[in-house]
Amino acid sequence: MERRILFTDLDGTLLDDQKNITPENQAAIDEALALGHIIVISTGRPLASALIQAERLGLTKSGCYAITYNGAQIYDMYNHKTVYGKGLPREIAAPLFQAAQERDLHIQTYNSTHVLTAADTPEVRKYSEVIKIPYEVIDDISEALTEDPYKLIAINFDDHQKLLDYQSEVLSAYAGTLDSFFSNDAYLEIVPTGISKGFAVHWMCEHLGIPLENSVAAGDAQNDIAMLEAAHIGAVMCNAFPGIAEHGNYVTKADNNHDGVAEIIHRFILKDV
């Protein structure tokens, strides 16, 4: 049997709209792992949140990994260790925070346990509730960060144009140091240059000695595009955001509420079983 690897997004892909996994998706994942295949949850969430999800989903067995912060940190769930990490220079966090606040934009970063932000906003309260890790309001981001953070994120639920303006007016000045992209209309992700879920697909395949032609990716959003394009099979959820399907080579018949990932696993991971 050839070992295969599945990279799956969480929200809108593996998880249903209530943030749960369907029994059929769970059974398909368990069968793939039992046969020696690799399952990699791939998310923009911080590691602390991904660990909570992995525990809840039973994805801490041998063969389970997590791509977090959109590829900036890759974690071996079974051996409890980071196998890859790349942070952005902490000294640029302060000017980025200041520029966002001047534009009345919420911005945040992370340490190993908390979301870090300069103000207690509706955005951080909602974000923290969704990802299930606490937040901390800090006075000076430069003092709060003791190591280079894996990413920053600017959030605005009401005015997408403000995020676009911030991206073009501020982040363009850091070309070559930072990359930025949207994971949805409200979330502007800011990561070290070269970092993406697509980069992580190539890195993981090389790290584990799995040919790229044995890779499958499942996703639904803008931050999944690089992953869908990098994997041999880019499986786009039928509930994906507009324009995502053109970046894959398969569209599911079932959505995230009706076992779409199980469909992908049975078609492309367990196909010789």
Side-chain angles (χ1 to χ4, degrees):
M1 180 202 75
E2 285 191 277
R3 190 167 60 154
R4 299 190 174 93
I5 185 167
L6 173 69
F7 300 87
T8 177
D9 176 52
L10 289 175
D11 302 307
T13 302
L14 180 61
L15 303 181
D16 64 21
D17 290 346
Q18 286 71 48
K19 308 300 182 184
N20 296 315
I21 187 170
T22 67
E24 289 78 5
N25 279 354
Q26 186 72 68
I29 283 174
D30 290 343
E31 182 178 356
L33 287 170
L35 290 168
H37 298 299
I38 304 297
I39 302 293
V40 186
I41 57 175
S42 185
T43 180
R45 297 185 187 204
L47 177 61
S49 178
L51 288 171
I52 293 170
Q53 291 289 347
E55 290 282 355
R56 189 168 69 89
L57 302 174
L59 293 176
T60 57
K61 306 168 186 174
S62 178
C64 293
Y65 294 82
I67 293 167
T68 64
Y69 298 107
N70 286 309
Q73 184 179 22
I74 303 175
Y75 192 79
D76 182 335
M77 289 293 186
Y78 182 66
N79 292 302
H80 309 289
K81 67 178 183 178
T82 296
V83 293
Y84 176 86
K86 181 181 181 181
L88 56 86
R90 77 191 85 169
E91 61 269 16
I92 67 176
L96 291 175
F97 264 55
Q98 181 178 349
Q101 290 174 288
E102 289 171 354
R103 289 161 175 77
D104 194 28
L105 274 176
H106 169 80
I107 190 167
Q108 64 189 42
T109 189
Y110 309 82
N111 61 20
S112 60
T113 58
H114 286 71
V115 178
L116 302 179
T117 184
D120 192 343
T121 65
E123 288 86 354
V124 75
R125 291 194 292 270
K126 181 175 181 179
Y127 182 92
S128 181
E129 180 182 0
V130 168
I131 70 168
K132 308 300 183 190
I133 65 171
Y135 66 91
E136 181 180 351
V137 178
I138 46 91
D139 293 326
D140 187 335
I141 188 62
S142 298
E143 292 183 2
L145 288 173
T146 58
E147 55 188 24
D148 292 345
Y150 287 117
K151 80 167 186 176
L152 282 67
I153 180 171
I155 303 175
N156 190 288
F157 295 117
D158 303 316
D159 191 345
H160 181 64
Q161 187 60 46
K162 290 176 74 171
L163 292 169
L164 289 171
D165 292 343
Y166 179 75
Q167 185 182 38
S168 63
E169 294 168 8
V170 178
L171 299 181
S172 60
Y174 295 91
T177 301
L178 300 177
D179 286 342
S180 65
F181 46 82
F182 287 89
S183 52
N184 60 48
D185 282 348
Y187 288 3
L188 177 59
E189 310 275 346
I190 305 164
V191 299
T193 188
I195 290 298
S196 69
K197 292 184 181 183
F199 158 78
V201 166
H202 287 281
W203 192 92
M204 281 293 295
C205 286
E206 183 175 348
H207 177 68
L208 296 173
I210 297 175
L212 191 62
E213 56 265 31
N214 288 354
S215 65
V216 181
D220 73 305
Q222 290 181 15
N223 65 328
D224 297 322
I225 288 174
M227 176 176 75
L228 293 166
E229 292 180 338
H232 182 65
I233 301 294
V236 180
M237 301 298 293
C238 65
N239 55 277
F241 287 86
I244 304 302
E246 66 190 62
H247 298 282
N249 47 25
Y250 178 79
V251 177
T252 64
K253 296 177 177 63
D255 64 18
N256 63 307
N257 294 313
H258 299 90
D259 320 317
V261 168
E263 174 189 330
I264 293 165
I265 290 173
H266 284 290
R267 185 177 181 92
F268 299 110
I269 301 295
L270 303 176
K271 61 182 180 180
D272 293 335
V273 176

